Amino acid sequence: MQILVNRDKCTGCQSCLSSCPYDAIIMKDDKAFINEYCQFCKTCISVCPEGAILEKNDTVTESAAETIAAKLDSHRGVIVFAEHTDGHIAHVTLELLGIGRKLADDLGVYLGAALFGASKDEASELIKWGADKVFHCPDQSLNDFNDLPYADVLSVIIKQYKPEIVLAGATAIGRSFLPRAAVRLKAGLTADCTKLQIDEGSRNLLAIRPAFGGNIMASILCPKTRPQMATVRPRVMKPGTYNPQKTGEIIEIKMPVDTSNRRQSTRVIGVEKGSLESNVNIAEAEIIVSGGRGIGSAKGFEMLHELAVLLKGTVGASRAAVDEGWIAYSHQVGQTGKTVCPKIYISCGISGAVQHVVGMQSSDIIIAINKHAEAPIFNTANFGIVADVFEIIPLLIKKIKEELK
Ligand SMILES: Cc1cc2nc3c(=O)[nH]c(=O)nc-3n(C[C@H](O)[C@H](O)[C@H](O)COP(=O)(O)OP(=O)(O)OC[C@H]3O[C@@H](n4cnc5c(N)ncnc54)[C@H](O)[C@@H]3O)c2cc1C
């Protein structure tokens, strides 16, 4: 369905503007115009004194259905965006190649990787990690992330090679530029997916992610547009398989001319790394000692830091602990924090709310310490200790120190 303004009838009286609860009506050339924020509530239709606002039902006719089917059929292949830092392929890229390989095999199509900047060596590595083709734009200005050029180059690749699926990590980079490319291509994008699969009959991508506060898993489809785009949470998918013998094609992509001009509007003039505290990457950690409200204070977190250092791990936290200001947000695990998948997750004074559990349930081993035996965290844990954290953690620290002597 669409809500449209008949420009011949619109007098520009503006009475519809304030009627819209979504601020979706603006003035364009002295006439009302309904933008993409429209939620089809239809309030404006009854408000217009000229009857200039109309509802248009886009019922799919047979010929329109054929046009859509032909458009969908002209797209084949899966492309993943290969994120890297200073030329080093990011772990999330390997995870995307893992799930991308599975989707491509299910569809019987090629798996591509889009690499911006970096070198030909990295492009070859992507092939060994599972890609059949690498679309490599070697322009060195792309070594540092910049929204506009990244969206430009990806759009060029998509327009020319017409993949049916495009994936990026739900990282600061993927989350930032993929929506720009999706808007330009008028493609659907599902953010923050935790599972991806193909609907056999239709070839549609089922982009699955938690919804409604993590209480349900929603399967989101974009059945009428291509490519189907999605960002995928880091550490949720398993990395692809490395095969040093695998061969593939490296296709060089030229930097679009527009992009060279555009570089003037947003330029990266330097990259500054944040402090250790704000820079912590719990998503990469192999051992996490995580604290919740049961830790009681910022001081309480000191013993968790001490244990984490002894175990060569890092400290995580529940949202309650972050909201209390005991630890920085970069440590938060869960639906609105990070998804982690360490070898060992030690949960200390955390109740086990669903929004926390979605972020840590794929850890290999979960050890929970909580003084209440009925705490829900024990349903997720492999090992449970019903005890006061202030007794158990100092004991653990003492024991480990004795072992290390
Ligand atoms: C939309 C939305 C998104 C959210 N996103 C997240 C998210 O990303 N991450 C997240 O963590 N939460 C998130 N939450 C909040 C979540 O619902 C919980 O409120 C939160 O996880 C609770 O944190 P907690 O377990 O530390 O605190 P509590 O629920 O208060 O639990 C504290 C636990 O500590 C135990 N305890 C107390 N003292 C001790 C002691 N001395 N020794 C041992 N155990 C002790 C208690 O028995 C209790 O089980 C979100 C909520 C919403 C609505």
Side-chain angles (χ1 to χ4, degrees), residues 65 70 222 232 239 248 298 351:
C222 298
V232 180
S351 59

Side-chain angles (χ1 to χ4, degrees), residues 293 318-319 332-336 349 351 355-356 370 372 389:
R293 207 193 309 267
S318 73
R319 176 158 151 184
Q332 186 179 315
V333 173
Q335 188 193 321
T336 43
S351 59
Q355 295 88 355
H356 184 81
N370 194 303
H372 288 296
V389 279

Side-chain angles (χ1 to χ4, degrees), residues 3-43:
I3 307 292
L4 298 171
V5 176
N6 181 332
R7 290 180 66 82
D8 293 334
K9 281 191 176 178
C10 176
T11 57
C13 71
Q14 305 192 9
S15 44
C16 54
L17 259 57
S18 58
S19 73
C20 179
Y22 303 101
D23 283 341
I25 311 179
I26 55 171
M27 294 305 288
K28 225 178 190 181
D29 301 329
D30 295 331
K31 307 272 180 182
F33 175 82
I34 297 175
N35 67 22
E36 70 275 16
Y37 298 125
C38 175
Q39 300 295 312
F40 317 111
C41 70
K42 304 184 203 171
T43 313

